[in-house]
Amino acid sequence: MHEHGAEVIWDLAHSAGSLPIDLNGCGARYAVGCTYKYLNGGPGAPAFLYVHSNYQNKGWQPLSGWHGHASPFAFEADYTPAGDISRFRTGTHSALAYTALEASLALWSEVDMQALREKSLAMSNLFRECLSDIFTAHNIDDITPAASERGSQVSLVDSQNGYAIVQALIARGVIGDYREPGLMRFGFTPLYLSFEDVWLAAQHFREVMESGEYQDPQFHVCDAVT
Ligand SMILES: *Cc1c(COP(=O)(O)O)cnc(C)c1O
């Protein structure tokens, strides 16, 4: 793509913290991501940006701010972006959000990403295997991509009851989400979830289906966040 003049910005929201990523090895120039999913930075945690060192003085982002200025305290009339990665900054960051993220990232520096990936795949497979008879009995489609093509998420389709099933599970403390049309999504955070947690989540899923609990009208009320 680069040879045709196109730029690609990779979205690592579902990759960072769930599988090994080699941006240099892939020839990536730009990537962005959030830290509140698999990186466990907590609600409101800062986003991140990657720019290959050869492109740090070329690209620019549209929300320029004084932290990205070459000399932020010179109060010049014109905007001159810094010559390095700092040109992508905007304004003052939330120190509290960074402190929480720092605590998480300190742990990540000790993580063997290959071992993490193996655990992630084992977890998504365990969840699906525990429930394969339920999927068949209730016409639920397991559309989770093959291991080589997925992150750390299981995707199931029930176009009639998907939303209500997810709501019934949330009421039991198993937090998945729902996206139209009919898609139930379950993310497995390999860093701190145990296989027992996954097995228990599958048990809840089984009970919700076998008891018909999802049919309760309270689980059919549509919220803005699904
Ligand atoms: C979560 C997510 C993001 C992050 O969006 P925010 O605006 O930072 O919350 C970006 N892309 C994808 C695909 C995501 O799932």
Side-chain angles (χ1 to χ4, degrees), residues 36-117:
Y36 60 84
K37 290 175 184 151
Y38 297 98
L39 292 176
N40 314 314
F48 67 86
L49 169 83
Y50 165 91
V51 182
H52 187 282
S53 53
N54 291 348
Y55 295 86
Q56 290 178 3
N57 62 356
K58 296 192 175 74
W60 195 2
Q61 56 103 334
L63 298 172
S64 54
W66 73 289
H67 272 228
H69 199 283
S71 40
F73 292 100
F75 298 117
E76 291 161 355
D78 292 326
Y79 192 88
T80 312
D84 58 14
I85 188 77
S86 56
R87 67 165 54 190
F88 291 92
R89 293 195 301 216
T90 50
T92 309
H93 296 105
S94 158
L96 291 179
Y98 268 89
T99 305
L101 177 60
E102 212 167 19
S104 169
L105 294 185
L107 265 182
W108 278 104
S109 63
E110 297 167 21
V111 173
D112 174 340
M113 291 306 291
Q114 202 52 51
L116 183 98
R117 175 65 172 156

Side-chain angles (χ1 to χ4, degrees), residues 140-172:
I140 293 172
D141 243 349
D142 181 357
I143 62 157
T144 308
S148 60
E149 292 178 358
R150 73 171 180 259
S152 199
Q153 189 168 282
V154 166
S155 302
L156 310 171
V157 175
D158 181 331
S159 46
Q160 208 160 24
N161 300 310
Y163 178 79
I165 295 168
V166 169
Q167 291 303 310
L169 284 167
I170 290 173
R172 284 168 168 257

Side-chain angles (χ1 to χ4, degrees), residues 8-46:
V8 181
I9 303 175
W10 296 97
D11 184 335
L12 304 180
H14 281 261
S15 317
S18 84
L19 58 137
I21 303 164
D22 180 8
L23 290 173
N24 277 331
C26 297
R29 292 179 187 169
Y30 303 97
V32 293
C34 63
T35 61
Y36 60 84
K37 290 175 184 151
Y38 297 98
L39 292 176
N40 314 314

Side-chain angles (χ1 to χ4, degrees), residues 134 138 140 156-172 174 176-178 182 184 186 204-206 208-209 213-215 219-220:
I134 290 286
H138 295 270
I140 293 172
L156 310 171
V157 175
D158 181 331
S159 46
Q160 208 160 24
N161 300 310
Y163 178 79
I165 295 168
V166 169
Q167 291 303 310
L169 284 167
I170 290 173
R172 284 168 168 257
V174 179
D177 67 20
Y178 175 82
M184 300 179 270
F186 300 92
H204 281 296
F205 197 113
R206 173 176 297 279
V208 161
M209 297 314 296
E213 195 171 304
Y214 64 89
Q215 288 162 353
F219 299 132
H220 292 258

